[in-house]
Amino acid sequence: MENFWDFNVWGDFHLIAVLLLSLLAANALKRAIPALQASLIPTSVLGGALLLLASGLYKLFTGDVLFDTAFFAGNGMAMLETITYHTLALGFIASTLKTSDEKMTKQRTVEIFNTGVTTVSTYLMQAVLGFGITMVAAKLVSGFFPAAGVLLPFGFGQGPGQAMNYGGIYELEYGFEGGKSFGLTVAALGFISAALGGVIHLNLLKKKRKISIGSGEDISYDTEEIQLANEIPMQGGMDKLTVQIAFVFVAYFMAHALMYLLGLLLPGMRSVIYGFNFLLGVMTATLLKATLSLMEKKGVMKRRYTNNFLMTRVSNFFFDIMVVASIAAIRLGILEQYWGIILILGVSGLVLTYIYNYIVAKTLFPAYQEEQFLTMFGMLTGTASTGIALLRELDGRFETPAADNLVYQNFPAIVFGFPMMLLATLAPQKPGVTMVCLVVFFLVMNVILFRSFIFRRKKTPAAK
């Protein structure tokens, strides 16, 4: 029987409270220091950095791990990894449950499809780059894990949750000591890359277009955006926010049931299956959303229960917690001999992601190339919220389709990106074969992406 005054009861609460407190402190620092506000570093990244600094100093002076002290019930580091793992999927589920009544034109469908293909092509480019760097590093550094560079697209392209998932697979299945921390560190460098590259690009635009950096936060919402006419009231028998959170957790419960069944059918793939928690969460959320939509059309439900405004808030909450927890979970001591390799990965990933996405935006999205570039560069070095943060500096009211492209591109990105996720699990076993497959896959995706230029039809000469 637990004693309520025991730290075992309060440890998890202390951890969550500290995570939220770090977000408040980071937000206050950004408000107080103009240089931080201009840097575009997300508040969650700054909050995680504050906790990482605090834990590093604690380790330096005491020799103990801060989050594994009795104050956090002795298992804070493991809990941080668990929080990162779950909030990744919960954030994606909340985003997926948002509804749209917009009818897609042929042009918009093509743009969304191209955005999804761009996402996967960038993943593959980052994978080839990172894998190539660490394969060379493994020949120079004794005992280094050659497939570590495959974590670059997961850290940069998909964020800390997936970087930790795959780092964990490499750590548990293939003996890559510090795999989780390696992935989380790469993800942290991705956020820095997004801020650094975004600030440089915005300042270049400022000189050319005289844009006002920092105006993106002053966004107001109309009442119609918050409460649609056919939705349940904000405060009925059950609070509307509670309803949104309930649907998110129901979808995640369904995802866990699916993971459990797949694990029974494929016991040898269990770690990989559970590493795809966010993907299976998106699938069950899509199923739940389709069911709710059907019930609404059939008249079983008289009013709409999901609300896009609140779902966005729920999603952003989970992503903020994910980012701050993931950075706080980095174990710096494990990586001290690999910092040179990690920095090479980070700088190379920044430069190539910047160049490739700028070329794609300029070629395929000429009507709003700057908005599309900033959105994609921010997402493919940080998370979707980082891409939106950069976009807000240029298109605060989302008048261009760039933000919608980011939302709707998930389906083609998942379809085309799934083979790359499988290849990532093959990399430690057959590095040469995996590298060839990644290069070929990258070339194929670029043929698909630039198909309108490669297979351009020749115009027939006009009759005289």
Side-chain angles (χ1 to χ4, degrees), residues 21-343:
L21 182 61
S22 73
L23 285 169
L24 293 174
N27 188 61
L29 283 175
K30 285 196 70 173
R31 295 288 184 184
I33 304 174
L36 280 177
Q37 189 169 7
S39 72
L40 298 180
I41 295 176
T43 301
S44 53
V45 175
L46 183 58
L50 291 175
L51 291 181
L52 188 60
L53 176 63
S55 63
L57 291 173
Y58 188 88
K59 176 77 172 177
L60 179 66
F61 289 111
T62 68
D64 297 324
V65 178
L66 173 63
F67 293 109
D68 283 343
T69 56
F71 186 75
F72 298 106
N75 65 340
M77 292 299 285
M79 187 61 184
L80 285 171
E81 293 176 356
T82 301
I83 289 171
T84 302
Y85 173 79
H86 288 306
T87 49
L88 169 73
L90 292 167
F92 270 106
I93 288 170
S95 296
T96 304
L97 286 172
K98 292 194 294 183
T99 58
S100 174
D101 297 322
E102 179 185 352
K103 293 184 179 180
M104 292 292 177
T105 63
K106 182 179 179 180
Q107 176 64 24
R108 289 293 299 120
T109 302
V110 170
E111 290 174 347
I112 290 167
F113 177 80
N114 286 342
T115 302
V117 176
T118 302
T119 298
V120 178
S121 295
T122 306
Y123 290 165
L124 291 164
M125 181 205 68
Q126 292 169 340
V128 171
L129 172 69
F131 199 10
I133 290 172
T134 54
M135 285 176 74
V136 172
K139 295 183 180 298
L140 302 175
V141 180
S142 178
F144 184 69
F145 188 68
V150 181
L151 294 174
L152 181 61
F154 296 107
F156 268 49
Q158 297 192 8
Q162 274 298 83
M164 190 195 73
N165 284 353
Y166 271 86
I169 291 171
Y170 289 171
E171 192 170 322
L172 295 173
E173 301 288 334
Y174 303 104
F176 178 25
E177 185 181 356
K180 290 180 182 178
S181 286
F182 192 98
L184 292 173
T185 305
V186 170
L189 289 179
F191 284 114
I192 295 171
S193 298
L196 182 62
V199 167
I200 291 172
H201 193 81
L202 284 167
N203 276 287
L204 289 174
L205 290 179
K206 186 178 180 181
K207 290 181 180 179
K208 294 178 182 179
R209 297 184 175 188
K210 299 180 180 179
I211 65 170
S212 176
I213 294 180
S215 59
E217 293 187 0
D218 301 322
I219 300 174
S220 58
Y221 294 93
D222 297 328
T223 305
E224 290 78 9
E225 295 179 85
I226 300 174
Q227 174 73 39
L228 298 179
N230 63 332
E231 290 181 350
I232 60 173
M234 279 289 177
Q235 291 183 345
M238 187 175 181
D239 190 90
K240 196 170 184 175
L241 178 59
T242 307
V243 174
Q244 313 309 303
I245 295 173
F247 280 129
V248 170
F249 277 84
V250 166
Y252 198 34
F253 175 80
M254 293 164 60
H256 183 225
L258 183 57
M259 284 184 276
Y260 180 76
L261 290 174
L262 290 173
L264 292 177
L265 294 172
L266 303 166
M269 294 283 290
R270 186 169 293 167
S271 61
V272 176
I273 291 167
Y274 278 84
F276 287 147
N277 66 323
F278 84 102
L279 178 58
L280 295 171
V282 168
M283 291 171 59
T284 54
T286 302
L287 178 62
L288 178 59
K289 182 169 70 172
T291 303
L292 292 173
S293 178
L294 180 63
M295 292 173 68
E296 188 180 339
K297 288 178 181 178
K298 295 294 184 181
V300 178
M301 292 192 322
K302 304 299 182 184
R303 311 186 80 172
R304 180 173 294 179
Y305 280 74
T306 57
N307 175 272
N308 287 353
F309 177 82
L310 291 177
M311 279 296 183
T312 300
R313 309 281 74 78
V314 172
S315 175
N316 289 346
F317 169 77
F318 285 129
F319 283 142
D320 280 342
I321 295 295
M322 178 194 71
V323 172
V324 70
S326 67
I327 295 175
I330 295 173
R331 300 175 188 263
L332 295 173
I334 297 176
L335 303 173
E336 57 187 357
Q337 57 182 324
Y338 300 144
W339 278 111
I341 300 170
I342 291 173
L343 289 175

Side-chain angles (χ1 to χ4, degrees), residues 362-412:
K362 186 176 181 180
T363 306
L364 299 179
F365 302 88
Y368 51 98
Q369 70 175 65
E370 298 295 353
E371 292 84 356
Q372 179 74 8
F373 165 72
L374 282 170
T375 304
M376 295 303 291
F377 175 75
M379 182 186 73
L380 291 167
T381 49
T383 60
S385 58
T386 314
I388 293 297
L390 290 177
L391 176 64
R392 278 178 173 170
E393 303 299 328
L394 194 59
D395 180 18
R397 296 202 63 84
F398 304 138
E399 295 172 353
T400 66
D404 287 340
N405 290 349
L406 190 66
V407 174
Y408 297 121
Q409 60 87 32
N410 281 309
F411 182 73

